[in-house]
Amino acid sequence: MLEDQFPPGTPVCVLQKVDMSTHPIEAETIGTVESWEDKPTGSWFAHGKNDRLWLKRLTLRKSDGELTMLSIDNSTTIARLEATSK
């Protein structure tokens, strides 16, 4: 499980790819893992928990203190970074 590989406090680089047909997009987010959670979307999905589509969400704290929540899917790559001294 990703939560076991990247527990809270782990510095990471998250690379997400979105295939927009002829214009693929890559987004890189760097921060420290704050939390993991499975959250439902507003979409209905047969055979899902409570008939909802659930996505894994990762909350990161960026170096400037900003918190950001990312939806993690099969095209997401997460790499552990070396901790920096303050």
Side-chain angles (χ1 to χ4, degrees):
M1 288 181 82
L2 291 171
E3 297 93 326
D4 296 334
Q5 295 175 23
F6 305 101
T10 304
V12 295
C13 176
V14 180
L15 181 63
Q16 296 184 297
K17 298 177 186 176
V18 179
D19 185 3
M20 301 295 289
S21 231
T22 59
H23 302 292
I25 298 170
E26 289 188 353
E28 180 180 87
T29 307
I30 295 174
T32 302
V33 175
E34 285 286 315
S35 64
W36 290 92
E37 57 187 322
D38 293 321
K39 293 185 78 169
T41 66
S43 301
W44 175 85
F45 185 73
H47 309 296
K49 182 178 174 184
N50 297 328
D51 291 329
R52 293 286 177 204
L53 176 61
W54 288 68
L55 295 174
K56 184 160 297 298
R57 310 289 173 100
L58 169 61
T59 302
L60 293 180
R61 182 174 301 276
K62 295 181 178 182
S63 62
D64 64 0
E66 175 187 354
L67 287 175
T68 186
M69 182 179 285
L70 305 171
S71 295
I72 304 301
D73 62 16
N74 291 336
S75 66
T76 302
T77 303
I78 304 173
R80 182 183 305 266
L81 300 175
E82 294 295 319
T84 58
S85 58
K86 293 184 179 181

